[in-house]
Amino acid sequence: MTSIFDGMSAIIAGALGGTVRYRPTTGPERDVPGLFREAPIEVEDATGNIVLIPAPTWRVAHNLVPELARGDQITTPDGRSWSVMNVQPGGSPAADANVVAELHRDPAG
């Protein structure tokens, strides 16, 4: 049943998002497509409740960053750097389901 959802994350990121430079605390850095937003967003948590995330966020397909964790960093195309503070799993059962990383601006970047 999840196959009907497969591929949607990549389509959405391609249409609405951009590419950021992802630097995990372990493993190689790489360019990854996703949706970076500075405005607050609402997401559904694991229990189905709506949660407001007031911080900047990066929505990305989990299969592109399976190691995504607190302390990882991204650099947006405008050169600003951000640290991952928290990771919210998405509610979709798809193989490429999105996760949302709550970000904090790095003062040096």
Side-chain angles (χ1 to χ4, degrees), residues 25-71:
T25 53
T26 59
E29 65 180 64
R30 59 199 184 269
D31 292 333
V32 179
L35 299 169
F36 171 77
R37 296 289 180 260
E38 290 187 70
I41 65 166
E42 291 181 343
V43 296
E44 188 174 324
D45 69 10
T47 62
N49 294 313
I50 300 298
V51 177
L52 176 69
I53 300 178
T57 56
W58 181 44
R59 185 182 304 259
V60 60
H62 183 261
N63 63 335
L64 297 177
V65 290
E67 73 276 35
L68 184 63
R70 182 181 178 95

